[in-house]
Amino acid sequence: MNNKEFISKLSRMQHCSAADAQRMVTNVLGAMSNSFQRGDSLNIPGFGVFEVKKKLERIIVNPGTQQRMLVPPKLVLGFKPSLAWKSKMKNGQ
């Protein structure tokens, strides 16, 4: 499903215009983004948890040249689905 299809379906479900549905999605994603930039986790009951994780600095080796390189620390966004959602997906619902 692409963005246009998603907005169309959301507007039908909420009985609102496509522009209103687009604003809702934009506002939700903006709030989520602000939360992640602060390093906060976001728990959506029945769906899962989005959390910002810190990857530590590490050394890797290029297999072709055997040259060692330092990878700087970085933040990554992780998602852990809820048990209810996981079981629904496992059962094909």
Side-chain angles (χ1 to χ4, degrees), residues 6-77:
F6 178 70
I7 296 300
S8 175
K9 188 172 186 174
L10 181 62
S11 67
R12 284 193 308 270
M13 290 173 64
Q14 295 299 313
H15 307 290
C16 65
S17 70
D20 288 340
Q22 181 66 53
R23 263 192 302 279
M24 283 189 273
V25 170
T26 301
N27 289 337
V28 167
L29 293 177
M32 290 173 69
S33 178
N34 290 339
S35 176
F36 299 145
Q37 287 176 351
R38 288 190 308 270
D40 298 337
S41 294
L42 177 65
N43 183 6
I44 303 173
F47 186 68
V49 179
F50 291 93
E51 59 186 350
V52 177
K53 296 179 182 180
K54 199 177 275 190
K55 285 212 157 194
L56 300 176
E57 182 177 72
R58 60 195 170 99
I59 296 174
I60 61 169
V61 178
N62 181 331
T65 63
Q66 298 301 315
Q67 180 183 8
R68 298 169 66 116
M69 294 183 283
L70 185 65
V71 177
K74 63 182 176 179
L75 298 175
V76 294
L77 182 63

